[in-house]
Structure formats: C-alpha cells, structure tokens
Amino acid sequence: MKPHPLAQPAASPRGSIPGGCDDCHAYQTVKKVTGRITQITVHHDNTCPALRARQNRRNTR
Ligand SMILES: [Zn+2]
C-alpha cells in the first residue's frame, strides 16, 4: 500500500493539532508531563520565517 503523496498533508502525526503558527503550516502536539501538567509543542515547517527568527535570536544571546 502506497499512500498518495498529495493526499497527505505535511507530516502531522496522529493526535496532533493543526495550527499554532501564523507563518507556516505548523502543528502542535500535546504531551502529558505529569497528571495535571501537559506540554504543548509547536512543530514549525523548516522554512518557517518565525521559527528562523526565533533561532537567530537564540544564537545571538
Ligand atoms: Zn511557524
């Protein structure tokens, strides 16, 4: 079985939430850390300008 490349959106694993960034087709994943605390991670596209800006800022500090 070969999934059609165009039928599938960019890598968004099961349980992920679309969105999270206005500048790319990001998705979010929710991870349970402890009973009450969950961690939401935003996964940006590699080409995301917002992500690049964030990384540049981190490098200069
Ligand atoms: Zn982004």
Side-chain angles (χ1 to χ4, degrees):
M1 225 166 70
K2 205 187 204 177
H4 195 280
L6 294 180
Q8 291 202 327
S12 46
R14 252 169 66 180
S16 66
I17 307 157
C21 179
D22 291 333
D23 293 313
C24 73
H25 299 107
Y27 65 90
Q28 301 163 81
T29 53
V30 181
K31 190 171 109 185
K32 204 168 189 177
V33 181
T34 65
R36 286 184 188 175
I37 300 169
T38 51
Q39 186 183 26
I40 297 174
T41 308
V42 182
H43 301 264
H44 296 264
D45 285 351
N46 287 332
T47 53
C48 176
L51 177 65
R52 200 177 305 164
R54 214 170 73 175
Q55 285 176 338
N56 286 340
R57 210 181 308 151
R58 197 181 295 166
N59 286 342
T60 50
R61 272 201 184 185

